[in-house]
Amino acid sequence: YLTEIFIVLISYVLGSIPFALIIGKLGYRVDVREHGSGNLGTTNTFRVLGKRAGTLVLLGDMGKGLVAALLPLLFGSDMSLLLAGIPAIIGHSYPVFAKFKGGKSVATSAGVLLAAFPWFFLVVVTTFVVTLLVSKMVSLSSMAASVVGLVTVIAYGIIARDWLPLIVIVPLALFIIIKHRSNWQRIRSGTEPKVPLFQKRK
Ligand code: G3P
């Protein structure tokens, strides 16, 4: 199992790359952990540094999940792509390069799902986008996508008798929901910030 252990390690290291920190510090001399929600992720980068930086972080954070999940193909292993992506998700939330304090793993999980489970990726991204258009809250959209993903993967597991996605994605969805507990408090008290979608430029 040497190859698989190697894949797990590389996946974790890839996931640990803190793009929000790197792009913020190198491009803008700003530590996004000291602004906005303080979260080291795509949403907070959009919030603090704007569209260009946010888009780069989204691509970086999704990209590292995607690449991590594809590692078994690269190394000729028959390890499941979904399993190979999990260490990257853990790395994003607990990065070795940023004192183990990372983000909420929404974008990185999306990258893993895109590579490992494309139809399921479409289900959760559609849920995310529809919720975002209606509520304008990224956190609520992430939680809605997690809940719909949870129900979908349980139904799929039972119908297709394919247990691996269920075993991996149920804890992942719960993990993402738990990571959003401070957002949930803010949503309930009406203080969660909204995204200025389709705002006209002046
Ligand atoms: O990407 C994480 C998102 O769902 C919430 O981020 O910064 O609003 O806590 P944030």
Side-chain angles (χ1 to χ4, degrees):
Y1 290 115
L2 259 181
T3 313
E4 285 70 30
I5 293 170
F6 193 58
I7 288 173
V8 166
L9 285 175
I10 301 183
S11 172
Y12 172 73
V13 171
L14 271 176
S16 282
I17 303 173
F19 282 106
L21 191 62
I22 295 172
I23 289 165
K25 281 208 167 175
L26 290 186
Y28 303 78
R29 301 194 181 283
V30 169
D31 187 335
V32 295
R33 294 173 297 187
E34 292 164 5
H35 303 274
S37 69
N39 195 53
L40 208 49
T42 299
T43 309
N44 203 35
T45 307
F46 268 104
R47 186 180 290 131
V48 175
L49 300 174
K51 269 188 202 152
R52 187 198 301 245
T55 306
L56 285 175
V57 173
L58 174 64
L59 293 176
D61 284 352
M62 260 189 90
K64 70 189 185 186
L66 185 108
V67 172
L70 294 176
L71 287 173
L73 304 181
L74 206 70
F75 289 102
S77 160
D78 54 14
M79 183 179 187
S80 129
L81 304 191
L82 206 49
L83 279 183
I86 293 300
I89 293 170
I90 296 170
H92 180 80
S93 282
Y94 306 99
V96 64
F97 305 126
K99 297 183 184 153
F100 300 98
K101 279 188 170 174
K104 296 172 186 166
S105 283
V106 176
T108 306
S109 300
V112 171
L113 292 175
L114 175 61
F117 210 11
W119 71 261
F120 184 81
F121 167 84
L122 282 181
V123 171
V124 291
V125 167
T126 305
T127 309
F128 179 92
V129 171
V130 170
T131 314
L132 187 63
L133 290 174
V134 174
S135 74
K136 298 189 170 61
M137 288 183 270
V138 180
S139 56
L140 188 67
S141 312
S142 303
M143 285 188 272
S146 301
V147 172
V148 169
L150 193 74
V151 175
T152 306
V153 84
I154 291 174
Y156 165 77
I158 293 170
I159 293 166
R161 302 197 168 273
D162 183 1
W163 306 116
L164 185 76
L166 196 150
I167 291 167
V168 174
I169 292 175
V170 168
L172 173 61
L174 294 174
F175 173 74
I176 292 177
I177 293 168
I178 290 167
K179 279 268 158 200
H180 283 81
R181 52 192 189 277
S182 57
N183 302 84
W184 183 244
Q185 296 298 330
R186 287 196 290 270
I187 292 167
R188 288 188 45 153
S189 62
T191 54
E192 180 71 340
K194 296 194 176 184
V195 177
L197 285 175
F198 313 120
Q199 205 182 45
K200 280 193 199 122
R201 276 171 187 267
K202 285 205 178 129

